[in-house]
Amino acid sequence: MWLWVLQPYSLHTHKLVSAQLSAPDVVTGTYNGSVTISCQYDLQFKENTKYWCKGSVYELCAIVVKTPKNRFNDRSSIVDDQEAGVFTVTMTSLRKPDEDRYWCVIARSGRNIFRRVKLLISNTGIIQLHQHRHFSGCNTILLLLLYMLALILSKVDLTPKLISVLFPLK
């Protein structure tokens, strides 16, 4: 995919500069999971610094990771394969606030080359977490009452039957 960037070369005119940088338009990650994004570039930029930044507007985005010095932060990393012409960003332990617009960027003199990537976070993990918490998040008093009921019924032979009714196996 070609990205066309207008770059000024005088006060009154602009020349059209093309640079090849491709990345997926949208990437979906799972809550608490990880995602890997590949940004492919023309080999003429293999020595340039590459970075991954976050924000809805490129000019105001915050750098998350960059090559060569800031390759890792707490949950993100960037690796530049200069022979293949691709830099790869990995984000781990995804959270809902990570859902945003990100930018694959090649730094160069004049105007940088950039490509937008929208990261979506799937609620699958969140739903599973809420389903898991459905029982564990119950009120302590309710749990104590159920425990006491089980103790009382353990004196009677109905416990297995009652437990199977109250807590059916799926």
Side-chain angles (χ1 to χ4, degrees), residues 11 18 25 91 118 132 148 168:
L11 291 176
S18 69
D25 292 325
M91 297 176 68
K118 184 171 184 172
H132 178 70
M148 289 172 40

Side-chain angles (χ1 to χ4, degrees), residues 39-50:
C39 305
Q40 294 183 308
Y41 59 88
D42 191 289
L43 289 177
Q44 68 178 319
F45 302 111
K46 72 180 185 177
E47 299 297 326
N48 294 56
T49 298
K50 285 84 177 180

Side-chain angles (χ1 to χ4, degrees), residues 22-31 33-39 52 88-91 94-96 98-104 115-122:
S22 64
D25 292 325
V26 179
V27 175
T28 302
T30 304
Y31 181 84
S34 63
V35 67
T36 300
I37 301 97
S38 295
C39 305
W52 177 249
T88 306
V89 175
T90 302
M91 297 176 68
L94 294 171
R95 304 172 187 151
K96 201 63 176 168
D98 293 326
E99 187 171 275
D100 205 338
R101 287 189 181 115
Y102 290 82
W103 303 87
C104 293
R115 178 85 171 108
R116 186 183 72 198
V117 178
K118 184 171 184 172
L119 175 62
L120 301 174
I121 306 300
S122 166

Side-chain angles (χ1 to χ4, degrees), residues 1-8 14-22 44-45 58-59 103 108 111-116:
M1 170 175 271
W2 288 90
L3 177 67
W4 298 94
V5 180
L6 285 176
Q7 185 175 29
H14 293 83
K15 66 178 181 178
L16 200 55
V17 176
S18 69
Q20 191 175 25
L21 175 62
S22 64
Q44 68 178 319
F45 302 111
Y58 165 71
E59 289 77 9
W103 303 87
R108 68 174 185 170
R111 183 114 166 116
N112 291 341
I113 304 164
F114 51 92
R115 178 85 171 108
R116 186 183 72 198

Side-chain angles (χ1 to χ4, degrees), residues 31-32 123-134 136:
Y31 181 84
N32 212 24
N123 290 335
T124 304
I126 295 173
I127 292 168
Q128 289 173 348
L129 183 61
H130 287 314
Q131 288 173 343
H132 178 70
R133 286 185 180 173
H134 179 73
S136 64

